[in-house]
Structures are given as C-alpha cells and as structure tokens.
Amino acid sequence: MVEFDCLVIGQGLAGTALAWFLRWTGVRVLVVDREERITSSKIAAGLITPITGQRLIKSWRFDDLWPAAESFYRRVEIESGSLFFHQIPMARLFSNSSEAEVFSERVMAADFR
C-alpha cells in the first residue's frame, strides 16, 4: 500500500504548483482532480502578463515575482521532461478608445511602476 503525507484536491495551476513544491520538500503527495473539460486553468493556460487592470499598470511586485515564476517553471520542465513554458509577445486589445489613450499616455511617460 502506498502512503502519502498530503492530499491535494484539484490540479489546476495552484494545486499543481503546490504539489511540486511539496514534492521538492520531500512530502509524498497525492493529487486528486475531477478532470473537468473546461476550467479557468485550462483556459488561461498559465498566462503571465505584467500589464493588468483598467489602469493598465504593471502588476504589483511583478519584477520581484517574475524570477521565481520563471525558475519554478524551468525546474518543472527539466524534471518532467516537457517543454511548456514559452515567453511570447502578447497583444492587448483595448475595449475602447479611452483605454488606448490611457495606455499611450503611460507609454510616453514611461509610467509602468
């Protein structure tokens, strides 16, 4: 009989990341998932974007957290033998002209703090 130290319910992005971190600390983990066809993790596909919200500003602590996220995904790629972490350009579609104007003003002022 296989014994586990921890049970993780749900294998979305958060459950998967938690399971990997626990595994790296020596915890024996069992992940249980309903395998829903459509979930937010499957739709978002792990998208990491620095510019968010209606104010179109850089996400809080993005510069602090990005290196840890990149390191995490690269380590999982190596250990799983799967390449899935790809840095690709993205396009932001504005919902109206005022959103585009706000973004343009921020770019000109280099105000992405």
Side-chain angles (χ1 to χ4, degrees):
M1 182 171 115
V2 179
E3 292 186 18
F4 299 98
D5 302 313
C6 182
L7 173 64
V8 174
I9 306 293
Q11 193 172 13
L13 292 174
T16 300
L18 176 61
W20 276 102
F21 276 113
L22 290 170
R23 181 176 174 267
W24 292 334
T25 62
V27 175
R28 295 170 298 178
V29 181
L30 174 64
V31 180
V32 177
D33 188 74
R34 291 184 302 194
E35 297 185 19
E36 294 286 330
R37 197 171 68 81
I38 298 174
T39 66
S40 58
S41 292
K42 290 177 183 174
I43 291 173
L47 176 68
I48 300 171
T49 179
I51 308 297
T52 63
Q54 291 181 345
R55 294 183 52 224
L56 304 172
I57 59 173
K58 188 182 279 187
S59 296
W60 178 73
R61 294 191 61 209
F62 180 82
D63 292 329
D64 297 329
L65 300 173
W66 172 251
E70 185 176 23
S71 175
F72 170 81
Y73 286 117
R74 296 292 182 211
R75 182 173 176 185
V76 173
E77 280 186 328
I78 290 167
E79 292 186 26
S80 69
S82 300
L83 296 177
F84 55 82
F85 184 67
H86 308 287
Q87 295 181 58
I88 57 175
M90 61 174 263
R92 167 65 191 235
L93 303 178
F94 301 113
S95 59
N96 55 49
S97 60
S98 63
E99 237 186 32
E101 186 176 321
V102 167
F103 185 76
S104 180
E105 289 171 3
R106 289 192 182 275
V107 168
M108 296 305 284
D111 187 17
F112 281 101
R113 291 171 283 177

